[in-house]
Amino acid sequence: MTTQQLVAQIRKKKSFLCIGLDVDLEKIPQQLLTEEDPIFEFNKAIIDATHHLCVAYKPNTAFYEAYGLKGWQSLEKTIQYLNQNHPEIFTIADAKRGDIGNTSRMYAKAFLEDLGFDSVTVAPYMGKDSVEPFLEFTDKHTILLALTSNEGAFDFQTISMEGKELYKQVLETSKSWKNSENLMYVVGATKAEYLADIRKIIPNSFLLVPGVGAQGGNLQDVCKYGLTDTVGLLINSSRGILYASNDQNFAVAAAEKAKELQQEMAAILQQSI
Amino acid sequence: MTTQQLVAQIRKKKSFLCIGLDVDLEKIPQQLLTEEDPIFEFNKAIIDATHHLCVAYKPNTAFYEAYGLKGWQSLEKTIQYLNQNHPEIFTIADAKRGDIGNTSRMYAKAFLEDLGFDSVTVAPYMGKDSVEPFLEFTDKHTILLALTSNEGAFDFQTISMEGKELYKQVLETSKSWKNSENLMYVVGATKAEYLADIRKIIPNSFLLVPGVGAQGGNLQDVCKYGLTDTVGLLINSSRGILYASNDQNFAVAAAEKAKELQQEMAAILQQSI
């Protein structure tokens, strides 16, 4: 999917919501546990109930690997279901991979080609040749960790390197990599006050913003500093939507939570245009 | 496995060799491709031929994920085979994971508990709360990326942060994390000249050293600066051993290459004790 297609979807749906499909079997309605593939059935119900309210879905691979082979099967079925039924929706494999060049190439092939995700999250620590193999894929996107939503972000990301914080070095350096136009960046909603500085370095790039809701980030603050002429934001919510209820009506409750965020986004988009 | 048990194995086998099980179906003997699980059959043959020459095996997860569900099955079978037949051998899931706390916990459970690896490699970019969930596991080890063997290591890892290179900050900061006695570190053999400085910060920690062989690193140089009283080194070789030959005698050829390295290591251990 091209960035233009993503922006068109955002305009059409008046939403820049991404729903994180982080399925925890201990939190889903217990009636689903009798199904052959409870994770997929849960995802399918959530997708069916929310696909008109969001523009992206983001399964975090940890939640699937935690269930071994069965989990990988659930991940495959989920991305296949999305690609077959909602090809207009942007899909993100939240995998946070990164390795030496020939190894990163295998991850890139696995997520972007074989599984068919539109994008994958990648960690920057190993530098240029660990990221460029992901960037080679046409009409796919590599979402680089810049400033993450967790407390540990302050351990290294915000420390000053030769006069500039590490996350700013990552943003600047990555702009020089081959096919860098395929880059997006992870910036946590809990660090909204950093967004003004970030936009000076990458004025137009799309940002994937986790941390709204359960982690305490605020949508208005993120938009105030992060919004661009072409929106430039994907706001992720996972637990706040998925586990709005764990009774039989869980999907309806999830859609209501998603709708609240979508309506807030619609209002912001209307004001800003 | 405790560090003491690992050191005892090293003394007994006169080897601190780790063999990287990075299986590429395009490089293995073509006769194996008719097997139901060519990756596992290849690993089994390599393990059967080399287990007396090495103290560790390290499958890189990218090479398994690249083959989807079948690849994960091969990974499961490989670690099960190792744990059942060679429980004295140290196993490393080279996964380079790292995420926010509750998500890292799922990765830790997947690799250290469910799959039963002795250790897993982890990226430090997201800081303390992304690594500590791995460190909670008793008698397991977390191998943190410090200074990697690739060219991209110079993009961020060696840049000076408040007067100290990032990889040194990672080494120092990680020492303050809870259960940090379970930490080991990745230091590339291609950066052997950095080892003297690294040993000033972590004098006794085990280092996993990739990059000997195909990537150009030199064993003597690594040992000159990296060896400790309790050895403190695991030297990894992947392609140089696995693909020594791709005819019917591939396992014998792999064992010969492993033996060359083991004998070089035996001589080094004899000199240094």
Side-chain angles (χ1 to χ4, degrees):
Chain A
M1 185 184 295
T2 65
T3 308
Q4 290 72 18
Q5 288 169 322
L6 173 60
V7 175
Q9 279 298 310
I10 291 173
R11 301 279 188 218
K12 189 175 161 190
K13 289 179 167 173
K14 297 182 178 44
S15 169
F16 41 101
L17 176 62
C18 171
I19 297 180
L21 297 172
D22 302 347
V23 187
D24 184 337
L25 288 183
E26 291 178 14
K27 290 184 185 158
I28 70 175
Q30 297 303 295
Q31 85 240 27
L32 287 176
L33 297 181
T34 57
E35 300 278 350
E36 200 192 316
D37 187 342
I39 297 179
F40 173 69
E41 294 303 331
F42 179 78
N43 282 345
K44 183 174 173 301
I46 294 286
I47 293 164
D48 289 348
T50 61
H51 65 87
H52 57 295
L53 300 167
C54 69
V55 292
Y57 286 104
K58 178 179 79 63
N60 185 308
T61 53
F63 289 78
Y64 298 83
E65 289 183 17
Y67 300 109
L69 267 186
K70 282 201 144 196
W72 266 86
Q73 205 152 20
S74 305
L75 181 65
E76 281 193 10
K77 282 166 76 176
T78 301
I79 182 66
Q80 278 166 13
Y81 185 79
L82 281 168
N83 283 338
Q84 278 165 17
N85 296 281
H86 304 288
E88 78 288 357
I89 287 187
F90 188 70
T91 54
I92 303 165
D94 193 1
K96 300 186 176 70
R97 299 297 196 264
D99 209 306
I100 62 173
N102 69 325
T103 309
S104 266
R105 191 159 287 112
M106 306 210 77
Y107 280 129
K109 182 180 171 294
F111 288 108
L112 300 177
E113 196 172 289
D114 298 343
L115 287 171
F117 278 94
D118 291 311
S119 65
V120 57
T121 58
V122 172
Y125 191 74
M126 294 180 68
K128 173 174 164 160
D129 58 285
S130 72
V131 182
E132 284 190 342
F134 292 93
L135 294 171
E136 286 172 14
F137 287 75
T138 310
D139 293 345
K140 301 281 183 177
H141 302 268
T142 304
I143 310 181
L144 198 64
L145 301 186
L147 187 60
T148 57
S149 59
N150 64 324
E151 186 64 27
F154 298 115
D155 281 336
F156 308 118
Q157 295 168 26
T158 57
I159 292 183
S160 185
M161 293 178 80
E162 294 175 2
K164 197 171 287 172
E165 293 98 319
L166 174 56
Y167 77 92
K168 289 186 184 172
Q169 288 273 4
V170 167
L171 293 173
E172 291 207 343
T173 303
S174 68
K175 285 165 69 178
S176 69
W177 295 341
K178 197 175 172 194
N179 301 315
S180 63
E181 67 277 11
N182 295 334
L183 279 170
M184 297 180 175
Y185 299 90
V186 173
V187 176
T190 52
K191 314 280 191 306
E193 69 271 29
Y194 292 80
L195 276 164
D197 276 0
I198 288 171
R199 279 299 182 209
K200 286 181 195 155
I201 305 172
I202 43 160
N204 301 311
S205 301
F206 255 86
L207 306 180
L208 171 63
V209 183
V212 163
Q215 292 182 56
N218 180 294
L219 177 62
Q220 299 292 337
D221 289 349
V222 171
C223 291
K224 183 175 169 191
Y225 299 110
L227 215 60
T228 70
D229 290 347
T230 50
V231 188
L233 292 174
L234 287 172
I235 306 285
N236 184 76
S237 176
S238 302
R239 289 169 274 178
I241 291 174
L242 299 190
Y243 307 119
S245 157
N246 72 346
D247 67 15
Q248 281 200 323
N249 292 320
F250 71 95
V252 175
E256 280 167 10
K257 282 285 174 195
K259 184 145 201 173
E260 282 174 25
L261 281 167
Q262 181 270 325
Q263 289 187 331
E264 205 178 334
M265 290 174 180
I268 291 168
L269 288 174
Q270 198 169 22
Q271 284 161 21
S272 73
I273 293 158
Chain B
M1 184 181 297
T2 64
T3 309
Q4 290 73 17
Q5 288 169 322
L6 173 61
V7 175
Q9 280 298 311
I10 291 173
R11 301 279 188 219
K12 187 174 163 193
K13 288 180 168 172
K14 300 180 174 48
S15 170
F16 42 101
L17 176 61
C18 172
I19 297 181
L21 297 173
D22 303 347
V23 187
D24 184 338
L25 288 183
E26 291 178 14
K27 289 184 185 158
I28 70 174
Q30 296 304 295
Q31 86 242 26
L32 288 176
L33 298 182
T34 57
E35 301 278 350
E36 200 192 315
D37 186 342
I39 297 179
F40 173 69
E41 294 302 331
F42 179 79
N43 282 345
K44 184 174 172 300
I46 293 287
I47 292 164
D48 290 348
T50 61
H51 65 88
H52 57 296
L53 300 166
C54 68
V55 293
Y57 287 104
K58 178 180 78 63
N60 186 308
T61 53
F63 289 79
Y64 299 83
E65 289 184 17
Y67 300 110
L69 267 186
K70 283 202 142 197
W72 266 86
Q73 205 151 19
S74 306
L75 181 65
E76 281 193 10
K77 283 167 75 178
T78 300
I79 182 66
Q80 279 167 13
Y81 186 78
L82 282 167
N83 283 339
Q84 279 166 16
N85 297 281
H86 305 287
E88 78 287 358
I89 287 186
F90 189 70
T91 53
I92 303 166
D94 194 1
K96 301 186 176 69
R97 298 297 196 267
D99 209 307
I100 62 173
N102 69 325
T103 309
S104 267
R105 191 160 286 112
M106 306 210 77
Y107 280 130
K109 183 179 171 295
F111 288 108
L112 300 177
E113 195 173 290
D114 299 342
L115 287 171
F117 278 94
D118 291 310
S119 66
V120 57
T121 58
V122 171
Y125 191 74
M126 293 179 69
K128 174 174 164 162
D129 58 286
S130 72
V131 181
E132 284 189 342
F134 292 94
L135 293 170
E136 286 172 15
F137 288 75
T138 311
D139 292 346
K140 301 283 182 174
H141 301 268
T142 303
I143 311 180
L144 197 64
L145 301 186
L147 188 60
T148 57
S149 59
N150 63 325
E151 186 63 28
F154 299 115
D155 281 335
F156 307 117
Q157 296 168 26
T158 57
I159 293 184
S160 185
M161 293 178 79
E162 294 175 1
K164 198 171 285 172
E165 294 97 319
L166 174 58
Y167 77 92
K168 289 186 182 171
Q169 289 273 5
V170 167
L171 294 173
E172 292 207 340
T173 302
S174 67
K175 286 165 68 178
S176 70
W177 294 341
K178 197 176 174 192
N179 301 314
S180 63
E181 67 278 11
N182 295 335
L183 279 170
M184 299 181 172
Y185 299 91
V186 173
V187 176
T190 51
K191 313 279 191 306
E193 68 272 29
Y194 292 80
L195 276 165
D197 275 0
I198 288 171
R199 279 299 181 208
K200 285 181 197 156
I201 306 172
I202 43 161
N204 301 311
S205 302
F206 256 85
L207 307 181
L208 171 64
V209 184
V212 163
Q215 291 181 59
N218 179 294
L219 177 62
Q220 300 291 338
D221 289 349
V222 171
C223 291
K224 184 175 169 192
Y225 300 109
L227 215 59
T228 69
D229 291 347
T230 50
V231 189
L233 293 173
L234 288 172
I235 306 285
N236 183 75
S237 176
S238 303
R239 288 169 275 177
I241 290 174
L242 300 190
Y243 307 120
S245 157
N246 72 346
D247 68 15
Q248 281 198 322
N249 293 319
F250 71 96
V252 175
E256 281 168 10
K257 283 285 173 193
K259 183 146 201 174
E260 282 174 25
L261 281 167
Q262 182 271 325
Q263 289 187 332
E264 205 179 334
M265 290 174 181
I268 291 168
L269 288 174
Q270 199 168 24
Q271 286 162 21
S272 71
I273 293 160

